[in-house]
Amino acid sequence: MKWKLGILFLLIIMGCSSDSGTDSVPEGPATEVPDNEEAGEEVPSLSDEELLDLVQETTFNYFWDFAEPVSGMARERSQDDAYGGQSPNLVTTGGTGFGLATFPAAVERGWITKSEAVTRLEKVLDFLESVPTYHGAYSHWYLASTGQTRPFSQMDDGGDLVETAFLIQGLLICRAYFDENDIRSRITEIWENVEWTWYTNGKDVLYWHWSPNYDFQMNLPIKGWNEALITYVLAASSPTYSIEKEVYKSGWASNGNIRRNRLHYSINMPLGPLFGGPLFFSHYSFIGLDPRNLQDEYANYWEQNTAHTLINYEYSVDNPKNYEGYGEDSWGLTASDSHEGYAAHSPTNDLGVITPTAALSSFPYSPEKSMTALRHFYEDKHDELWGEYGFYDAFSEEHDWVSDGWLAIDQGPIVAMIENYRSQLLWDLFMSNQEIKDGLEKLGFL
């Protein structure tokens, strides 16, 4: 895979597991915006609740109507010509986990029936039970037609523990919601087969990757702070291959050096890089893991995520690079497509690109600010941004550019985190699992 070296270096430094196959992302002319047959039509006036209903359901359809038909899994992205034309056949493990996490919300809100959800879930489980795994962990990508691993990069052709964690998070939410015994037993078997301890390589840290061809040569330890807290929580919670607390303390928390206590815009943030990094750090692990009242010796995670969100917002309003289109109603920097390809946008890697999932997935932490952004995206920029599966992935007024598609890892958190803001459903379901309660206690969470 031909990597853009600067972006790869940034992603590795931050531990980003996102779609960074920049050679395969269709970039298009910077001045081109998606066609919209309804351009110019008046946008209907909706109440806050009606607008949230519409955004959630439309975005959910990426995982429902647009799911890969053979496997039921989520396609990595929507552009058919991406990845050398493999895109329609390329399914994502973590993105599927995000989509599955929203199935209970879809049933509760009447977008699909429970029977339909169970049938689709059974199809996904059929696929997951048939594909190669690597000491129980799944690859980042699979080809749906063959069920074989599609390498994410040359040496990343085996297990991806963080992507596996995102999948297991979604499956455990479904196990807690659907009462069919067969569904529950099949999910439990997948969950209990993951050999989290293997991925320590005999050390007090978890490693992101293992390959039967390259062993641990990727050599990327999972260290905080980033999006991967859920990996350690699940590893400690496993009833079969549970890690010891020392792996969390020495590995994830670097023996306490994870604490930074940075101050930006008079907001204290316990963890994270300068300005907090891309906003997905506060989303991916918290689709199921409830940050309310979640605390250990390193941080209060509600305070951490709220501070991270507000710093990202204040940076966008401050707009030190004077980009067009930034402000109180247009904010949010996180990993997404850009006019230059895929990039991990953040205050320290600001390319003039706003990504709707950043503000919308932050609804639990900044409801008023997120609603202001949502109304701007939907009402003021409707003709440019709104499409078949909700808001296009990203846009830049500075560069007169709008993405022409969607990514699973950006779609899923929108549905899930808005639901957690509205009903706390996914948080309640995930946290009801006894293994998770035991794992959090083992790691010293209060």
Side-chain angles (χ1 to χ4, degrees):
M1 181 173 284
K2 301 175 183 175
W3 295 89
K4 289 189 176 178
L5 296 180
I7 292 175
L8 176 61
F9 177 76
L10 176 66
L11 294 178
I12 289 178
I13 289 296
M14 295 189 306
C16 174
S17 69
S18 308
D19 173 357
S20 51
T22 54
D23 64 313
S24 305
V25 178
E27 298 178 9
T31 57
E32 188 172 296
V33 299
D35 291 332
N36 190 325
E37 295 179 358
E38 298 180 359
E41 292 186 7
E42 183 177 351
V43 179
S45 177
L46 301 173
S47 68
D48 288 354
E49 290 299 301
E50 290 170 336
L51 184 53
L52 290 174
D53 286 340
L54 176 65
V55 169
Q56 278 189 285
E57 183 175 4
T58 306
T59 307
F60 171 77
N61 282 334
Y62 182 93
F63 301 98
W64 193 254
D65 296 337
F66 192 67
E68 196 288 317
V70 174
S71 63
M73 299 272 285
R75 286 175 51 173
E76 174 71 14
R77 61 167 57 244
S78 64
Q79 296 96 328
D80 285 348
D81 59 347
Y83 314 112
Q86 286 187 326
S87 184
N89 193 33
L90 192 66
V91 296
T92 168
T93 294
T96 294
F98 293 165
L100 291 175
T102 67
F103 276 26
V107 174
E108 289 294 308
R109 295 195 176 276
W111 310 331
I112 58 176
T113 67
K114 186 176 182 182
S115 176
E116 289 172 330
V118 167
T119 299
R120 178 64 61 84
L121 182 53
E122 288 174 338
K123 176 182 281 192
V124 173
L125 291 174
D126 287 344
F127 185 78
L128 292 173
E129 290 165 348
S130 71
V131 300
T133 57
Y134 305 87
H135 291 277
Y138 287 85
S139 298
H140 192 128
W141 286 338
Y142 290 94
L143 295 175
S145 60
T146 64
Q148 296 303 304
T149 293
R150 199 280 199 182
F152 191 72
S153 64
Q154 179 180 342
M155 289 192 292
D156 189 358
D157 63 349
D160 183 315
L161 200 63
V162 175
E163 290 287 306
T164 298
F166 297 152
L167 173 66
I168 297 297
Q169 178 178 224
L171 286 172
L172 291 181
I173 288 170
C174 286
R175 190 186 70 171
Y177 181 78
F178 296 101
D179 54 10
E180 287 75 10
N181 289 333
D182 182 57
I183 291 286
R184 288 183 166 179
S185 64
R186 293 173 73 184
I187 290 174
T188 296
E189 184 172 2
I190 289 171
W191 156 227
E192 293 184 352
N193 282 343
V194 182
E195 299 178 30
W196 307 92
T197 49
W198 173 265
Y199 283 80
T200 65
N201 193 24
K203 303 173 184 177
D204 285 333
V205 67
L206 288 171
Y207 284 87
W208 209 295
H209 312 95
W210 178 81
S211 160
N213 298 311
Y214 299 97
D215 200 42
F216 286 99
Q217 287 186 50
M218 287 286 287
N219 195 33
L220 183 59
I222 306 171
K223 289 179 170 287
W225 177 248
N226 54 38
E227 74 272 32
L229 175 61
I230 190 67
T231 311
Y232 278 86
V233 171
L234 289 170
S237 301
S238 170
T240 47
Y241 297 97
S242 179
I243 61 168
E244 296 300 323
K245 182 179 180 180
E246 186 61 31
V247 177
Y248 176 73
K249 180 180 178 181
S250 299
W252 174 254
S254 299
N255 291 309
N257 290 321
I258 191 175
R259 287 190 297 262
R260 298 295 183 182
N261 288 316
R262 301 186 188 277
L263 191 69
H264 302 289
Y265 302 108
S266 301
I267 301 168
N268 181 67
M269 181 178 57
L271 312 174
L274 287 170
F275 294 91
L279 270 177
F280 71 84
F281 286 8
S282 293
H283 303 151
Y284 289 2
S285 281
F286 301 97
I287 285 175
L289 189 62
D290 186 352
R292 299 172 301 168
N293 303 312
L294 186 69
Q295 183 172 335
D296 64 4
E297 61 185 290
Y298 311 113
N300 175 296
Y301 291 90
W302 182 261
E303 294 177 0
Q304 164 66 29
N305 293 350
T306 300
H308 182 200
T309 302
L310 294 179
I311 289 169
N312 196 289
Y313 167 83
E314 292 293 346
Y315 173 88
S316 300
V317 174
D318 184 35
N319 191 16
K321 294 188 175 182
N322 295 311
Y323 286 132
E324 291 291 328
Y326 281 37
E328 294 180 357
D329 60 356
S330 188
W331 60 277
L333 307 181
T334 195
S336 71
D337 283 345
S338 79
H339 55 289
E340 297 181 350
Y342 191 85
H345 307 111
S346 73
T348 57
N349 185 42
D350 182 7
L351 305 180
V353 175
I354 298 293
T355 305
T357 191
L360 303 188
S361 299
S362 297
F363 253 98
Y365 315 125
S366 57
E368 293 182 0
K369 293 176 173 60
S370 293
M371 181 58 73
T372 298
L374 172 54
R375 288 206 169 275
H376 174 65
F377 298 153
Y378 184 74
E379 296 172 351
D380 303 332
K381 298 186 72 64
H382 184 276
D383 292 346
E384 301 167 64
L385 290 186
W386 187 252
E388 186 175 5
Y389 302 114
F391 295 109
Y392 290 108
D393 192 55
F395 68 94
S396 173
E397 292 188 22
E398 177 73 19
H399 300 286
D400 195 19
W401 170 87
V402 178
S403 169
D404 62 355
W406 301 270
L407 279 70
I409 55 173
D410 291 342
Q411 295 288 95
I414 293 174
V415 186
M417 295 304 280
I418 289 178
E419 190 59 42
N420 281 329
Y421 161 67
R422 300 179 79 183
S423 72
Q424 301 80 54
L425 176 64
L426 310 187
W427 286 342
D428 291 345
L429 288 169
F430 183 77
M431 300 297 283
S432 72
N433 288 287
Q434 186 59 48
E435 302 104 312
I436 302 303
K437 297 176 183 178
D438 295 342
L440 288 170
E441 182 178 355
K442 181 178 185 178
L443 294 182
F445 282 85
L446 304 178

